[in-house]
Amino acid sequence: MKKNIAIIMGGFSSEYEISLKSGNVVYQTLNDDKYTAYRIHIFKNKWVYVDDEDTEFPVDKNDFSISINNNKISFHCVFNAIHGSPGEDGFMQAYFKLLNIPQTSCDMYQAALTFNKRDCLSVLKPYGIKTAESFYINLGDAIDANAIIKKVGLPCFVKANKAGSSFGITKVYKVEDMQSAIEVAFKEDDEIIIESYLDGVEVSVGVIKYKGETIVLPITEIVSDNDFFDYKAKYLGESKEITPARISEDMAEKVSKVAKQVYDILKMTGFSRSEYIFKDGEPYLLEVNTVPGLTKASILPQQAAAAGISLSELFENAIEEALN
């Protein structure tokens, strides 16, 4: 019997457009012989099933079902393609857990933890995972730019703590630019993380559960045309993503080991993509993404392709892992 798969996409954050692209790629790629796929748009003001004519049908949030011509449809599994909130921060995971519906991303706690850069890095540090020097600010805290710079140095990165896709990030070179950078970050989140600048090769490492095993995918080197890997570099083609990365075997081995260690320490499932910068030959963790981009041009699908895993195999495996 064909399984009904709800592909959730959209979300509440600045990343909703990227999420719609990811979700549509999953929709177009899934094997019709095995699955009946439904595109579910989740926004603050509406949850709807969108058919091929772009007609919208409301989702019953009581049991996450839809009705088409008085025919009630429930789902065997949810494919999570929501970047940012509420798909990457634990809310949807908790909701589906309560409804006992399998979903393709990690569990609620892992999603909430990894979405909060400060808390995730704090959990991993005791295990010897190297990270940049950092400083935290909550909305309303007194801001002492000199104290911040004394700890993290210049240049440094000012980031929203709980936001993805490089929104709200500024690279700060001068003390007088700190205040405006903080204001930019506060537009995305009420918590900010300020990190020291690590000057080195940046790589992205995909780790997934594949056919019951945790595997590390080929590594991608990030070469931004801009000052750093910002939103434009990530999504508007202003960067080069080179897979496999042009790094030594020793560096590749080190970062693969760390990425798998992070996945295992956090008891992850589903997709993950973590970012690292090499400093003095050692990988320093920047962040962990649990709902990475899934378009053909996105990093994780590129890595899967380099490992000989097609998009359809990648997506089907995610569903089968969730159902097992």
Side-chain angles (χ1 to χ4, degrees), residues 262-279:
V262 166
Y263 193 94
D264 291 340
I265 289 166
L266 299 178
K267 297 186 169 71
M268 294 288 295
T269 53
F271 299 138
S272 89
R273 201 194 73 226
S274 46
E275 321 298 329
Y276 298 84
I277 287 182
F278 281 95
K279 181 186 172 191

Side-chain angles (χ1 to χ4, degrees), residues 109-110 112-136 157 159-161 192-196 198 258 262 265-266 274-277 283-289:
Y109 174 72
Q110 283 76 8
L113 178 65
T114 51
F115 197 68
N116 187 312
K117 297 180 182 77
R118 175 185 69 192
D119 293 358
C120 184
L121 296 175
S122 301
V123 165
L124 291 167
K125 262 184 184 171
Y127 291 91
I129 306 296
K130 294 179 174 63
T131 64
E133 194 66 64
S134 54
F135 193 103
Y136 308 119
F157 284 105
K159 306 177 179 179
N161 186 44
I192 285 177
I193 180 169
I194 301 170
E195 292 180 323
S196 59
L198 298 171
V258 172
V262 166
I265 289 166
L266 299 178
S274 46
E275 321 298 329
Y276 298 84
I277 287 182
Y284 282 66
L285 175 66
L286 300 179
E287 63 178 14
V288 179
N289 303 285

Side-chain angles (χ1 to χ4, degrees), residues 60-317:
D60 183 345
K61 294 181 188 175
N62 293 299
D63 60 1
F64 197 68
S65 65
I66 56 175
S67 289
I68 303 169
N69 303 324
N70 293 323
N71 179 29
K72 180 173 171 171
I73 295 165
S74 300
F75 300 103
H76 296 96
C77 183
V78 173
F79 196 109
N80 182 7
I82 297 178
H83 313 312
S85 188
E88 203 165 3
D89 55 6
F91 285 100
M92 297 309 295
Q93 289 85 346
Y95 169 70
F96 292 123
K97 185 80 171 174
L98 288 171
L99 293 177
N100 202 25
I101 301 174
Q103 54 85 34
T104 57
S105 55
C106 61
D107 290 333
M108 169 195 74
Y109 174 72
Q110 283 76 8
L113 178 65
T114 51
F115 197 68
N116 187 312
K117 297 180 182 77
R118 175 185 69 192
D119 293 358
C120 184
L121 296 175
S122 301
V123 165
L124 291 167
K125 262 184 184 171
Y127 291 91
I129 306 296
K130 294 179 174 63
T131 64
E133 194 66 64
S134 54
F135 193 103
Y136 308 119
I137 306 175
N138 292 326
L139 189 62
D141 286 357
I143 292 161
D144 182 344
N146 289 314
I148 295 167
I149 287 161
K150 189 176 178 186
K151 188 171 186 201
V152 302
L154 284 173
C156 62
F157 284 105
V158 179
K159 306 177 179 179
N161 186 44
K162 305 186 302 291
S165 281
S166 308
F167 285 104
I169 296 188
T170 308
K171 189 173 180 182
V172 173
Y173 290 90
K174 303 192 293 260
V175 64
E176 52 267 32
D177 295 336
M178 183 64 74
Q179 185 63 42
S180 63
I182 286 169
E183 285 165 14
V184 165
F186 274 137
K187 284 178 185 163
E188 293 291 330
D189 188 21
D190 60 1
E191 295 175 6
I192 285 177
I193 180 169
I194 301 170
E195 292 180 323
S196 59
Y197 169 59
L198 298 171
D199 188 12
V201 177
E202 182 170 353
V203 296
S204 185
V205 189
V207 183
I208 63 172
K209 278 272 189 296
Y210 191 71
K211 298 182 178 175
E213 281 183 50
T214 302
I215 66 164
V216 181
L217 296 171
I219 300 159
T220 300
E221 181 183 347
I222 308 294
V223 184
S224 177
D225 298 344
N226 304 335
D227 197 15
F228 62 97
F229 194 45
D230 60 6
Y231 180 84
K232 287 179 178 176
K234 196 174 279 188
Y235 292 116
L236 303 181
E238 296 178 14
S239 70
K240 295 177 192 71
E241 294 152 9
I242 301 158
T243 311
R246 302 166 301 179
I247 56 176
S248 68
E249 269 184 49
D250 179 55
M251 288 164 80
E253 205 171 290
K254 275 182 185 170
V255 77
S256 296
K257 186 179 174 186
V258 172
K260 187 175 186 298
Q261 191 184 354
V262 166
Y263 193 94
D264 291 340
I265 289 166
L266 299 178
K267 297 186 169 71
M268 294 288 295
T269 53
F271 299 138
S272 89
R273 201 194 73 226
S274 46
E275 321 298 329
Y276 298 84
I277 287 182
F278 281 95
K279 181 186 172 191
D280 302 324
E282 296 295 326
Y284 282 66
L285 175 66
L286 300 179
E287 63 178 14
V288 179
N289 303 285
T290 59
V291 186
L294 297 172
T295 67
K296 290 180 181 70
S298 298
I299 294 170
L300 191 90
Q302 284 181 37
Q303 295 174 340
I309 301 168
S310 69
L311 269 185
S312 61
E313 287 170 325
L314 185 69
F315 299 155
E316 185 175 319
N317 177 75

